[in-house]
Amino acid sequence: MNANQKEIPLPAPVLHTLTEEAKKFGLSCEEYLRKIVIGIMEDELEKKKFLLFMDSRKHEDRP
C-alpha cells in the first residue's frame, strides 16, 4: 500500500459481493475497486469541465 492510500475494512458480505463482481470481469477485488474509483473521478472531472465551460459562456454573454 502506498503512503497516500488508506486501508478500509469491508464487512464480509460487501467483500464477497465485490469479489464476485470482480470475477465477472476477470479482475481482483482491488483492481475492480480501482476501476470504480477511477470511473467516479473521471465523471466528476467531466462535470467540472462542463460547469467551467458553462460559466465561461455566461461571462462571454455579459455586455
Side-chain angles (χ1 to χ4, degrees), residues 20-49:
E20 290 301 312
E21 287 296 313
K23 283 181 188 176
K24 291 179 185 177
F25 298 100
L27 301 171
S28 70
C29 190
E30 184 177 308
E31 291 169 325
Y32 184 66
L33 284 172
R34 190 176 301 123
K35 285 193 173 287
I36 291 170
V37 170
I38 289 170
I40 291 169
M41 290 170 64
E42 287 173 343
D43 289 346
E44 289 298 315
L45 180 60
E46 288 302 314
K47 287 179 194 174
K48 287 178 183 177
K49 286 180 182 177

